Amino acid sequence: MSDIPETPGEGYDSEGFPVPTAPQPDSLAARAEMLAIYPPKTKKKREKQLLANDSTTPPEIAANTRTVPGIITQRGCTYAGCRGVVIGPIHDILHITHGPIGCSYYSWQTRRNLARVKPGQPINYLQYSMTTDMMEEEIIFGGEKKLAAAIREAYKIFKPKAIAVYATCPVGLIGDDIHTVCRHAKEELGINVFGFSCEGYKGVSQSAGHHIANNGVFKHMVGLLDEPDKEQYRINVLGEYNIGGDAWEIDTLLKKCGIHVTATLSGDISYEQICKCHTADLNVVMCHRSINYMSEMMETKFGIPWVKVNFIGAEQTSKSLRKIAKYFGDRKLIDRVEEVIAAEMAVLRPIQEDVRSRLKGKTAAMFVGGSRAHHYQHLFKDVGMLTVAAGYEFAHRDDYEGRVVLPTIKVDADSRNIEEIDVEADPKRYNPRKTPEQLEALKAGGFSFKDYDGMMREMKQSTLVIDDISHHEMEKLIELYHPDIIGSGIKDKFVIEKLGVPCKQLHSYDYGGPYAAFTGAANFYKEIDRMIGSKVWKLVTPPWRKSTQETFGVGIESEGNKAIRVIVAGMAKAWKPKAKAATSDEG
Ligand code: CFM
């Protein structure tokens, strides 16, 4: 069993939420103060995206809508969601960006979706950045010829099994037909070549890119190889991208239990694994936002049921393992899972208790992507910390309020822009993995399929929920709540730190991690303990609190800066080279 008390323990309230030591502000008053500065139209929009939580009946939040121009958002573009997030991690196909050089350059290894060369899978192209490098000439006269030449050239050098082509903003604006170019290349080269109309502007965020990518992967890859793996209990882990090696931790843990992963979409994955992933017995979904389309389409076409899991946090990892074992229903597997949980917790528990003794009662805030702002709350909870405010950058209402609201979500013009593909049961290969009776028995035993309750139901009453947070709101949040740590991204990390709060980069992990499964949880606890224990950010006087002379002249000799130099010198002295980490296999 996990050691998060089933009945509330010391430091937790009657609902199992950690109790903050410091007094917390009234969330409605804090909300009003955050919104006060905005002009009426902006305020009207932001007040629908900035709410005090109701965990029993989550209030309707405005999500997946356009950011007000002028507000500094943390969001990315549709191209990033497609090429960068969902398909980019496939390591043995070529990814060619059709566009100006920057789109390719800035998506080159900035996301730590690691892959390593394995026996039998010797190819890893992830270190390459391939682009057509569009210039004025192509913008004026069209870039199709240059794209066709690039595909031919790339094929000649690498002889890959498949090539994916990604459209960037100018490609959509000038109307290059990348799909026809890909079709011709497929015929000419005899390999799989396919394109994605994932122009950056196509949606309100990278979320549109996830959807476009899911459609393309499903149409062009899934189902091409009818060769099931020989192992028992075959699953796909969907929405796990092996950031910092997370998928490797999950894979190792599942292996210990006797559960086999056919494919992880898309972390450290090969083309072949994607082509045969329709042969698995179950899909488990980690990141609901980026891949729910795929799990739905695979169920419709091939009959593979899906369940939501979370391998972030000790309690959640245990729950997820038990859920998978229950699905297969084999006594031996169920017992084996319990043995593994007990063994892993025996190692993790002392670390958890030690860290909790220092962090109990501290607070966190998190603003990340479309799933981590929810999942990582469990890791903080494990060590007695309450998440007082959280939000996604680009998630949809169902990720906040749960899938129950799906029928009520209004499809606006921006979402209508994204293709919904018609999927039907495959006449030959549709194979429901469970009989209707088995499904009923599972449901009667409390098992739920296709279910995601969202973030709000798992957050404490009256905590703040903020969609697509602005820099102004972040600054106000720090001023009013003084959280002990914030989990966020690179676009606001340094502002947060200069305001005196440590910031854990929860996209790339600041080169740390892995944080998934029990082993990853131990890494996270220790990392957070170190960050909160360090006083370094409290000693910083940000440049905007100083006079110009102080900043550029005598500021360097200020008491705060002197103190920092002493700390840094101490750290440098104590530094020892680390053993080579698994993550050094990157790209
Ligand atoms: Fe899913 Fe992700 Fe996330 Fe995401 Fe992302 Fe990411 Fe993220 Mo950065 S797929 S929604 S588009 S869990 S890259 S691995 S960390 S914003 S919270």
Side-chain angles (χ1 to χ4, degrees):
M1 294 289 289
S2 153
D3 76 332
I4 304 303
E6 298 277 339
T7 47
E10 202 213 324
Y12 293 84
D13 67 15
S14 59
E15 289 172 323
F17 286 107
V19 181
T21 332
Q24 295 299 305
D26 175 71
S27 52
L28 285 176
R31 174 179 181 265
E33 208 174 323
M34 283 177 182
L35 293 169
I37 197 175
Y38 291 130
K41 225 172 133 186
T42 308
K43 187 175 175 194
K44 204 170 154 209
K45 186 163 190 298
R46 287 305 299 157
E47 58 192 10
K48 294 183 195 146
Q49 291 176 276
L50 207 166
L51 307 172
N53 188 38
D54 181 345
S55 48
T56 35
T57 323
E60 179 175 336
I61 189 161
N64 191 31
T65 56
R66 293 182 187 191
T67 303
V68 177
I71 282 189
I72 302 175
T73 174
Q74 331 293 351
R75 286 174 165 177
C77 71
T78 300
Y79 161 78
C82 179
R83 189 260 179 267
V85 174
V86 178
I87 320 186
I90 307 172
H91 59 64
D92 58 352
I93 69 172
L94 299 186
H95 304 277
I96 302 180
T97 296
H98 186 33
I101 193 77
C103 300
S104 182
Y105 181 75
Y106 288 108
S107 55
W108 182 28
Q109 297 204 324
T110 45
R111 185 163 175 267
R112 294 179 67 227
N113 41 245
L114 311 182
R116 59 184 162 206
V117 169
K118 296 174 266 304
Q121 286 179 7
I123 297 163
N124 187 353
Y125 295 131
L126 291 193
Q127 67 270 45
Y128 292 99
S129 176
M130 298 185 191
T131 175
T132 52
D133 185 18
M134 276 180 118
M135 305 287 235
E136 286 91 338
E137 194 180 321
E138 287 81 45
I139 302 290
I140 296 164
F141 299 109
E144 291 172 8
K145 278 191 197 141
K146 200 170 190 190
L147 174 61
I151 296 173
R152 248 177 243 129
E153 187 187 342
Y155 177 75
K156 213 169 138 197
I157 300 168
F158 296 99
K159 299 278 176 337
K161 298 167 187 168
I163 296 176
V165 171
Y166 306 91
T168 56
C169 293
V171 171
L173 296 175
I174 65 171
D176 271 1
D177 181 358
I178 61 163
H179 302 287
T180 301
V181 175
C182 289
R183 217 176 39 248
H184 289 160
K186 190 174 175 176
E187 286 157 15
E188 181 187 320
L189 306 173
I191 59 159
N192 201 358
V193 185
F194 42 88
F196 294 87
S197 293
C198 55
E199 292 84 353
Y201 60 76
K202 202 131 196 196
V204 300
S205 70
Q206 55 265 66
S207 171
H210 301 149
H211 196 164
I212 293 165
N214 276 234
N215 289 350
V217 171
F218 191 74
K219 278 198 291 197
H220 299 292
M221 290 183 251
V222 174
L224 292 183
L225 186 63
D226 281 318
E227 279 175 22
D229 290 337
K230 288 181 190 66
E231 289 82 351
Q232 235 189 334
Y233 312 126
R234 295 175 300 240
I235 66 167
N236 297 316
V237 183
L238 304 187
E240 167 48 56
Y241 300 90
N242 202 28
I243 308 297
D246 276 349
W248 293 332
E249 298 304 311
I250 297 170
D251 214 11
T252 307
L253 177 65
L254 290 168
K255 231 178 232 144
K256 281 186 194 164
C257 299
I259 299 161
H260 172 73
V261 177
T262 293
T264 298
L265 267 76
S266 328
D268 191 10
I269 189 167
S270 68
Y271 177 66
E272 191 183 285
Q273 282 175 297
I274 296 211
C275 292
K276 68 177 177 188
C277 72
H278 64 293
T279 60
D281 305 312
L282 173 71
N283 279 330
V284 304
V285 174
M286 271 287 280
C287 168
H288 174 264
R289 180 66 269 134
S290 62
I291 213 149
N292 67 86
Y293 322 93
M294 179 68 73
S295 52
E296 288 284 303
M297 291 188 288
M298 284 179 77
E299 176 156 25
T300 310
K301 186 164 180 182
F302 301 106
I304 311 176
W306 71 267
V307 295
K308 175 77 179 72
V309 292
N310 176 19
F311 290 107
I312 302 295
E315 189 199 17
Q316 290 294 307
T317 301
S318 307
K319 256 192 182 172
S320 300
L321 288 177
R322 289 187 178 120
K323 200 167 179 180
I324 297 169
K326 197 170 177 185
Y327 168 81
F328 287 108
D330 181 338
R331 189 73 252 166
K332 253 169 73 190
L333 178 66
I334 294 170
D335 291 345
R336 178 74 195 133
V337 159
E338 289 305 326
E339 279 165 32
V340 171
I341 293 173
E344 297 280 335
M345 283 309 297
V347 179
L348 185 62
R349 192 170 294 118
I351 303 170
Q352 213 175 41
E353 275 164 11
D354 174 49
V355 173
R356 195 186 299 143
S357 69
R358 285 180 294 280
L359 298 191
K360 188 173 59 185
K362 306 250 182 233
T363 59
M366 257 185 300
F367 301 95
V368 205
S371 92
R372 294 188 171 180
H374 174 199
H375 287 169
Y376 282 70
Q377 292 189 27
H378 294 285
L379 275 171
F380 285 119
K381 197 174 176 184
D382 283 358
V383 289
M385 289 179 63
L386 182 71
T387 303
V388 291
Y392 299 122
E393 288 166 38
F394 51 76
H396 301 197
R397 276 185 61 204
D398 38 324
D399 305 296
Y400 284 104
E401 302 166 55
R403 282 177 65 91
V404 285
V405 302
L406 275 176
T408 65
I409 295 180
K410 285 188 210 90
V411 182
D412 63 10
D414 289 314
S415 310
R416 220 168 280 129
N417 211 9
I418 314 302
E419 185 193 16
E420 283 285 349
I421 55 177
D422 283 327
V423 181
E424 286 173 4
D426 188 288
K428 286 199 188 121
R429 297 180 294 175
Y430 180 82
N431 162 32
R433 284 8 184 209
K434 297 271 176 194
T435 63
E437 296 74 42
Q438 285 172 323
L439 286 178
E440 274 319 305
L442 276 167
K443 282 182 195 158
F447 198 92
S448 60
F449 289 96
K450 298 161 75 105
D451 204 12
Y452 179 41
D453 280 344
M455 180 170 88
M456 283 159 134
R457 283 176 207 276
E458 291 195 349
M459 275 184 82
K460 193 175 160 54
Q461 192 71 7
S462 297
T463 43
L464 276 188
V465 179
I466 309 176
D467 181 63
D468 188 19
I469 193 170
S470 71
H471 276 199
H472 157 71
E473 288 153 5
M474 183 72 89
E475 284 172 27
K476 272 282 164 203
L477 181 95
I478 293 172
E479 183 190 319
L480 300 170
Y481 279 81
H482 310 292
D484 293 289
I485 194 162
I486 292 180
S488 195
I490 199 70
K491 294 175 196 128
D492 44 0
K493 179 182 170 72
F494 300 105
V495 177
I496 294 168
E497 289 181 335
K498 284 174 184 174
L499 285 165
V501 179
C503 179
K504 180 70 197 164
Q505 224 271 55
L506 279 180
H507 300 258
S508 75
Y509 300 158
D510 289 320
Y511 312 101
Y515 297 135
F518 300 103
T519 34
N523 287 342
F524 193 82
Y525 305 152
K526 289 181 203 162
E527 177 77 357
I528 294 307
D529 189 21
R530 184 187 63 78
M531 289 180 79
I532 294 180
S534 156
K535 299 284 173 274
V536 66
W537 299 113
K538 304 259 178 298
L539 300 169
V540 173
T541 310
W544 60 87
R545 296 248 164 84
K546 294 179 192 168
S547 68
T548 320
Q549 193 204 13
E550 244 192 318
T551 304
F552 300 107
V554 291
I556 199 76
E557 292 307 326
S558 70
E559 287 312 304
N561 284 337
K562 272 186 202 158
I564 289 171
R565 282 203 292 278
V566 172
I567 292 170
V568 171
M571 282 163 70
K573 224 172 151 191
W575 183 81
K576 279 193 213 87
K578 253 204 222 160
K580 203 168 181 262
T583 52
S584 62
D585 292 334
E586 180 168 4

